[in-house]
Amino acid sequence: VDVLLNQNILPGEEKCYDGLVPRSCRQYLGPRYALLQHQFLELRNRTPQRSGPIEHILVYFGGVDEANLTGRSLEALLLADCGELRIDVVLPLNGPHRNSIARLAKRMPGVKLHDNLPSLANLMARADLGIGAGGASSWERLCLGLPTFIVTLSENQVRIARTLQAANLAQWLGHY
C-alpha cells in the first residue's frame, strides 16, 4: 500500500495502522480528508448556523434502508404530531419500503419525497435537523453544520456515532 485514506474518526488515528502498512505509506486519516462533493464546500460558508425552532427536517438513511428507518422515523414524527414541520425525505430508487413510505407520506402534508438526487447538499443546507445513518453522510451533515440524530445501520457506523456523540457533534439514538 502506497497511500491509505480513511475519512472516519479514529481514536488514536495516528497509530491506527502501525504494523499494518509499510512505513513509506502516506496516510490520510480523519474527517479532514472526507470525500465530499464540491457543492458542500460551496454551501458551507453560505449556510447560517442553526438557531431557533426546528421547522425543517431532512430524513435520509442511505441507498438501501432495509430496516425501514425512514418509515419508522416518519411514523415517530406523525405520532409526535409534527404536522407543522416541513420534512424532506430522500428514498432509494429501488428501496424495499418505498411504497409504504409513499403511502405514509400522503398522510403528512409537510412531507416531500425525493429520489435520484445527484447531491443532498441543498436539502441539508435548508434543513434545521437531520435524521439519518452514521455513515458517509455524517461528514456531509457536519460540513454544513446540520444538527443530527443518528441511528446506526451497521457495526462499522457504531464507532463513528459514539465518537460524534462524545464530541457533541451529533446525537446517537442507538443501533437499529
CSV table of all heavy atoms in Angstrom, one decimal, residues 45-86:
chain,number,residue,atom,x,y,z
A,45,ASN,N,-19.9,28.1,3.7
A,45,ASN,CA,-19.9,29.4,4.3
A,45,ASN,C,-21.1,30.2,4.1
A,45,ASN,O,-21.3,31.3,4.7
A,45,ASN,CB,-18.7,30.1,3.6
A,45,ASN,CG,-17.4,29.5,4.1
A,45,ASN,OD1,-17.2,29.0,5.2
A,45,ASN,ND2,-16.4,29.6,3.2
A,46,ARG,N,-22.0,29.7,3.2
A,46,ARG,CA,-23.3,30.4,3.0
A,46,ARG,C,-24.4,29.9,3.8
A,46,ARG,O,-25.5,30.5,3.8
A,46,ARG,CB,-23.7,30.3,1.5
A,46,ARG,CG,-22.7,31.0,0.6
A,46,ARG,CD,-23.1,31.1,-0.8
A,46,ARG,NE,-24.1,30.1,-1.3
A,46,ARG,CZ,-24.0,29.4,-2.4
A,46,ARG,NH1,-23.0,29.7,-3.2
A,46,ARG,NH2,-24.9,28.6,-2.8
A,47,THR,N,-24.2,28.8,4.5
A,47,THR,CA,-25.3,28.2,5.3
A,47,THR,C,-25.2,28.8,6.7
A,47,THR,O,-24.2,28.6,7.4
A,47,THR,CB,-25.1,26.7,5.4
A,47,THR,OG1,-25.2,26.2,4.0
A,47,THR,CG2,-26.2,26.0,6.2
A,48,PRO,N,-26.2,29.5,7.2
A,48,PRO,CA,-26.1,30.1,8.5
A,48,PRO,C,-26.2,29.0,9.6
A,48,PRO,O,-26.7,27.9,9.4
A,48,PRO,CB,-27.4,31.0,8.6
A,48,PRO,CG,-28.3,30.5,7.5
A,48,PRO,CD,-27.4,29.8,6.5
A,49,GLN,N,-25.6,29.4,10.7
A,49,GLN,CA,-25.7,28.5,11.9
A,49,GLN,C,-27.2,28.4,12.3
A,49,GLN,O,-27.9,29.4,12.3
A,49,GLN,CB,-24.9,29.0,13.1
A,49,GLN,CG,-24.8,28.1,14.2
A,49,GLN,CD,-23.8,28.6,15.3
A,49,GLN,OE1,-23.2,29.6,15.1
A,49,GLN,NE2,-23.6,27.8,16.3
A,50,ARG,N,-27.6,27.2,12.6
A,50,ARG,CA,-29.0,27.0,13.0
A,50,ARG,C,-29.2,27.5,14.4
A,50,ARG,O,-28.5,27.3,15.3
A,50,ARG,CB,-29.3,25.5,13.0
A,50,ARG,CG,-29.7,24.9,11.6
A,50,ARG,CD,-28.5,24.7,10.8
A,50,ARG,NE,-28.8,24.0,9.6
A,50,ARG,CZ,-27.9,23.6,8.7
A,50,ARG,NH1,-26.7,23.9,9.0
A,50,ARG,NH2,-28.3,23.0,7.6
A,51,SER,N,-30.4,28.2,14.6
A,51,SER,CA,-30.8,28.6,15.9
A,51,SER,C,-32.4,28.8,15.8
A,51,SER,O,-32.9,28.9,14.7
A,51,SER,CB,-30.2,30.0,16.2
A,51,SER,OG,-30.6,31.0,15.3
A,52,GLY,N,-33.0,28.8,16.9
A,52,GLY,CA,-34.4,28.9,16.9
A,52,GLY,C,-35.1,27.6,16.8
A,52,GLY,O,-34.5,26.5,16.9
A,53,PRO,N,-36.4,27.6,16.5
A,53,PRO,CA,-37.2,26.3,16.5
A,53,PRO,C,-36.9,25.5,15.2
A,53,PRO,O,-36.4,26.0,14.2
A,53,PRO,CB,-38.6,26.8,16.4
A,53,PRO,CG,-38.6,28.2,15.8
A,53,PRO,CD,-37.2,28.8,16.3
A,54,ILE,N,-37.1,24.2,15.4
A,54,ILE,CA,-36.9,23.3,14.2
A,54,ILE,C,-38.2,23.4,13.4
A,54,ILE,O,-39.3,23.1,13.9
A,54,ILE,CB,-36.7,21.9,14.7
A,54,ILE,CG1,-35.4,21.8,15.5
A,54,ILE,CG2,-36.7,20.9,13.6
A,54,ILE,CD1,-35.1,20.5,16.2
A,55,GLU,N,-38.0,23.7,12.1
A,55,GLU,CA,-39.1,23.9,11.2
A,55,GLU,C,-39.0,23.0,10.0
A,55,GLU,O,-39.9,22.7,9.3
A,55,GLU,CB,-39.3,25.3,10.8
A,55,GLU,CG,-39.6,26.3,11.9
A,55,GLU,CD,-39.6,27.7,11.5
A,55,GLU,OE1,-39.1,28.0,10.4
A,55,GLU,OE2,-40.0,28.5,12.3
A,56,HIS,N,-37.8,22.5,9.7
A,56,HIS,CA,-37.5,21.8,8.5
A,56,HIS,C,-36.5,20.6,8.8
A,56,HIS,O,-35.4,20.8,9.3
A,56,HIS,CB,-36.8,22.7,7.5
A,56,HIS,CG,-36.9,22.3,6.1
A,56,HIS,ND1,-36.8,23.1,5.0
A,56,HIS,CD2,-36.9,21.0,5.5
A,56,HIS,CE1,-36.9,22.5,3.9
A,56,HIS,NE2,-36.9,21.2,4.2
A,57,ILE,N,-37.0,19.4,8.5
A,57,ILE,CA,-36.2,18.2,8.8
A,57,ILE,C,-35.8,17.4,7.5
A,57,ILE,O,-36.6,17.4,6.6
A,57,ILE,CB,-37.0,17.2,9.7
A,57,ILE,CG1,-37.2,17.9,11.1
A,57,ILE,CG2,-36.3,15.9,10.0
A,57,ILE,CD1,-38.1,17.1,12.0
A,58,LEU,N,-34.6,16.9,7.5
A,58,LEU,CA,-34.2,16.0,6.4
A,58,LEU,C,-34.0,14.6,6.9
A,58,LEU,O,-33.3,14.4,7.9
A,58,LEU,CB,-32.9,16.5,5.8
A,58,LEU,CG,-32.2,15.6,4.8
A,58,LEU,CD1,-33.1,15.4,3.6
A,58,LEU,CD2,-30.8,16.1,4.4
A,59,VAL,N,-34.7,13.7,6.3
A,59,VAL,CA,-34.6,12.2,6.7
A,59,VAL,C,-33.9,11.5,5.5
A,59,VAL,O,-34.5,11.5,4.4
A,59,VAL,CB,-36.0,11.6,7.0
A,59,VAL,CG1,-35.9,10.1,7.3
A,59,VAL,CG2,-36.7,12.4,8.1
A,60,TYR,N,-32.8,10.9,5.8
A,60,TYR,CA,-32.1,10.1,4.8
A,60,TYR,C,-31.3,9.0,5.4
A,60,TYR,O,-30.4,9.3,6.3
A,60,TYR,CB,-31.2,11.0,4.0
A,60,TYR,CG,-30.3,10.3,3.0
A,60,TYR,CD1,-30.9,9.6,1.9
A,60,TYR,CD2,-28.9,10.3,3.1
A,60,TYR,CE1,-30.1,8.9,1.0
A,60,TYR,CE2,-28.1,9.6,2.2
A,60,TYR,CZ,-28.7,8.9,1.1
A,60,TYR,OH,-27.9,8.2,0.2
A,61,PHE,N,-31.5,7.8,5.1
A,61,PHE,CA,-30.8,6.6,5.6
A,61,PHE,C,-30.0,5.9,4.6
A,61,PHE,O,-29.9,4.7,4.7
A,61,PHE,CB,-31.8,5.7,6.4
A,61,PHE,CG,-32.2,6.2,7.7
A,61,PHE,CD1,-33.4,7.0,7.9
A,61,PHE,CD2,-31.4,6.0,8.8
A,61,PHE,CE1,-33.7,7.4,9.1
A,61,PHE,CE2,-31.7,6.5,10.1
A,61,PHE,CZ,-32.9,7.2,10.2
A,62,GLY,N,-29.6,6.5,3.6
A,62,GLY,CA,-28.7,5.9,2.6
A,62,GLY,C,-29.4,5.2,1.5
A,62,GLY,O,-30.6,5.3,1.3
A,63,GLY,N,-28.6,4.5,0.7
A,63,GLY,CA,-29.1,3.9,-0.5
A,63,GLY,C,-30.0,2.7,-0.5
A,63,GLY,O,-30.5,2.3,-1.5
A,64,VAL,N,-30.2,2.1,0.7
A,64,VAL,CA,-31.0,0.8,0.7
A,64,VAL,C,-32.1,0.9,1.8
A,64,VAL,O,-33.2,0.8,1.5
A,64,VAL,CB,-30.1,-0.4,0.9
A,64,VAL,CG1,-31.0,-1.7,1.0
A,64,VAL,CG2,-29.1,-0.5,-0.2
A,65,ASP,N,-31.7,1.2,3.0
A,65,ASP,CA,-32.6,1.3,4.2
A,65,ASP,C,-33.5,0.0,4.3
A,65,ASP,O,-34.7,0.1,4.4
A,65,ASP,CB,-33.4,2.5,4.1
A,65,ASP,CG,-34.2,2.8,5.4
A,65,ASP,OD1,-33.9,2.1,6.4
A,65,ASP,OD2,-35.1,3.6,5.4
A,66,GLU,N,-32.8,-1.1,4.4
A,66,GLU,CA,-33.6,-2.4,4.5
A,66,GLU,C,-34.4,-2.4,5.8
A,66,GLU,O,-35.4,-3.1,5.9
A,66,GLU,CB,-32.7,-3.6,4.4
A,66,GLU,CG,-32.2,-3.8,3.0
A,66,GLU,CD,-31.3,-5.1,2.9
A,66,GLU,OE1,-31.4,-6.0,3.8
A,66,GLU,OE2,-30.5,-5.1,2.0
A,67,ALA,N,-33.9,-1.8,6.9
A,67,ALA,CA,-34.6,-1.8,8.2
A,67,ALA,C,-35.7,-0.8,8.2
A,67,ALA,O,-36.4,-0.7,9.2
A,67,ALA,CB,-33.5,-1.4,9.3
A,68,ASN,N,-36.0,-0.1,7.1
A,68,ASN,CA,-37.1,0.9,7.0
A,68,ASN,C,-37.0,1.9,8.1
A,68,ASN,O,-38.0,2.3,8.7
A,68,ASN,CB,-38.4,0.2,7.0
A,68,ASN,CG,-39.6,1.1,6.6
A,68,ASN,OD1,-39.3,2.1,5.9
A,68,ASN,ND2,-40.8,0.8,7.0
A,69,LEU,N,-35.8,2.4,8.4
A,69,LEU,CA,-35.7,3.5,9.4
A,69,LEU,C,-36.3,4.8,8.9
A,69,LEU,O,-36.8,5.6,9.7
A,69,LEU,CB,-34.2,3.7,9.8
A,69,LEU,CG,-33.7,2.5,10.5
A,69,LEU,CD1,-32.2,2.7,10.8
A,69,LEU,CD2,-34.4,2.3,11.8
A,70,THR,N,-36.4,5.0,7.6
A,70,THR,CA,-37.1,6.1,7.0
A,70,THR,C,-38.6,6.1,7.4
A,70,THR,O,-39.1,7.1,7.9
A,70,THR,CB,-37.0,6.2,5.5
A,70,THR,OG1,-35.6,6.2,5.1
A,70,THR,CG2,-37.7,7.4,4.9
A,71,GLY,N,-39.2,5.0,7.2
A,71,GLY,CA,-40.6,4.8,7.5
A,71,GLY,C,-40.8,4.9,9.0
A,71,GLY,O,-41.8,5.6,9.5
A,72,ARG,N,-40.0,4.4,9.8
A,72,ARG,CA,-40.1,4.4,11.3
A,72,ARG,C,-39.9,5.8,11.8
A,72,ARG,O,-40.6,6.3,12.7
A,72,ARG,CB,-39.1,3.4,11.9
A,72,ARG,CG,-39.5,2.0,11.6
A,72,ARG,CD,-38.3,1.0,11.8
A,72,ARG,NE,-38.1,0.7,13.2
A,72,ARG,CZ,-37.2,-0.1,13.7
A,72,ARG,NH1,-36.4,-0.7,12.8
A,72,ARG,NH2,-37.0,-0.3,14.9
A,73,SER,N,-39.0,6.6,11.1
A,73,SER,CA,-38.8,8.0,11.5
A,73,SER,C,-40.1,8.8,11.2
A,73,SER,O,-40.5,9.6,12.0
A,73,SER,CB,-37.6,8.6,10.8
A,73,SER,OG,-36.4,8.0,11.1
A,74,LEU,N,-40.7,8.6,10.0
A,74,LEU,CA,-41.9,9.3,9.7
A,74,LEU,C,-43.0,8.9,10.6
A,74,LEU,O,-43.8,9.8,11.1
A,74,LEU,CB,-42.3,9.0,8.3
A,74,LEU,CG,-41.4,9.7,7.2
A,74,LEU,CD1,-41.9,9.3,5.8
A,74,LEU,CD2,-41.4,11.2,7.4
A,75,GLU,N,-43.1,7.7,11.0
A,75,GLU,CA,-44.2,7.2,12.0
A,75,GLU,C,-44.0,7.9,13.3
A,75,GLU,O,-44.9,8.4,13.9
A,75,GLU,CB,-44.1,5.7,12.2
A,75,GLU,CG,-44.7,5.0,11.0
A,75,GLU,CD,-44.4,3.5,11.0
A,75,GLU,OE1,-43.8,3.0,12.0
A,75,GLU,OE2,-44.9,2.8,10.1
A,76,ALA,N,-42.7,8.1,13.8
A,76,ALA,CA,-42.5,8.8,15.0
A,76,ALA,C,-42.8,10.2,14.9
A,76,ALA,O,-43.4,10.8,15.9
A,76,ALA,CB,-41.0,8.6,15.4
A,77,LEU,N,-42.5,10.9,13.8
A,77,LEU,CA,-42.9,12.3,13.6
A,77,LEU,C,-44.4,12.4,13.6
A,77,LEU,O,-45.0,13.4,14.1
A,77,LEU,CB,-42.2,12.8,12.4
A,77,LEU,CG,-40.7,13.0,12.5
A,77,LEU,CD1,-40.1,13.2,11.1
A,77,LEU,CD2,-40.3,14.1,13.5
A,78,LEU,N,-45.1,11.5,12.9
A,78,LEU,CA,-46.6,11.5,12.9
A,78,LEU,C,-47.2,11.4,14.3
A,78,LEU,O,-48.1,12.1,14.6
A,78,LEU,CB,-47.1,10.4,12.0
A,78,LEU,CG,-48.5,10.3,11.7
A,78,LEU,CD1,-49.0,11.6,11.0
A,78,LEU,CD2,-48.9,9.1,10.8
A,79,LEU,N,-46.6,10.4,15.1
A,79,LEU,CA,-47.1,10.3,16.4
A,79,LEU,C,-46.9,11.5,17.3
A,79,LEU,O,-47.6,11.8,18.2
A,79,LEU,CB,-46.5,9.0,17.1
A,79,LEU,CG,-47.0,7.7,16.6
A,79,LEU,CD1,-46.2,6.6,17.1
A,79,LEU,CD2,-48.5,7.5,17.0
A,80,ALA,N,-45.8,12.2,17.0
A,80,ALA,CA,-45.4,13.4,17.8
A,80,ALA,C,-46.2,14.6,17.3
A,80,ALA,O,-45.9,15.7,17.9
A,80,ALA,CB,-43.9,13.6,17.7
A,81,ASP,N,-47.1,14.4,16.4
A,81,ASP,CA,-47.9,15.5,15.9
A,81,ASP,C,-47.1,16.6,15.4
A,81,ASP,O,-47.2,17.8,15.8
A,81,ASP,CB,-48.9,15.9,16.9
A,81,ASP,CG,-50.0,16.8,16.4
A,81,ASP,OD1,-50.2,16.7,15.1
A,81,ASP,OD2,-50.6,17.6,17.1
A,82,CYS,N,-46.2,16.3,14.4
A,82,CYS,CA,-45.3,17.3,13.9
A,82,CYS,C,-45.8,17.8,12.5
A,82,CYS,O,-45.1,18.1,11.6
A,82,CYS,CB,-43.9,16.7,13.7
A,82,CYS,SG,-43.1,16.3,15.2
A,83,GLY,N,-47.1,18.0,12.5
A,83,GLY,CA,-47.8,18.4,11.2
A,83,GLY,C,-47.3,19.7,10.7
A,83,GLY,O,-47.5,20.0,9.5
A,84,GLU,N,-46.8,20.6,11.5
A,84,GLU,CA,-46.4,21.9,11.1
A,84,GLU,C,-45.0,21.9,10.4
A,84,GLU,O,-44.6,22.9,9.7
A,84,GLU,CB,-46.3,22.9,12.3
A,84,GLU,CG,-47.6,23.0,13.0
A,84,GLU,CD,-48.5,24.0,12.4
A,84,GLU,OE1,-48.0,25.1,11.9
A,84,GLU,OE2,-49.8,23.8,12.4
A,85,LEU,N,-44.3,20.9,10.5
A,85,LEU,CA,-42.9,20.8,10.0
A,85,LEU,C,-42.9,20.5,8.5
A,85,LEU,O,-43.8,19.8,8.0
A,85,LEU,CB,-42.1,19.7,10.7
A,85,LEU,CG,-41.9,19.8,12.2
A,85,LEU,CD1,-41.2,18.6,12.8
A,85,LEU,CD2,-41.0,21.0,12.4
A,86,ARG,N,-41.9,21.0,7.9
A,86,ARG,CA,-41.5,20.6,6.5
A,86,ARG,C,-40.5,19.5,6.6
A,86,ARG,O,-39.5,19.6,7.4
A,86,ARG,CB,-41.0,21.7,5.7
A,86,ARG,CG,-42.0,22.8,5.4
A,86,ARG,CD,-41.4,24.0,4.7
A,86,ARG,NE,-40.6,24.7,5.7
A,86,ARG,CZ,-39.4,25.3,5.4
A,86,ARG,NH1,-39.0,25.4,4.2
A,86,ARG,NH2,-38.7,25.9,6.4
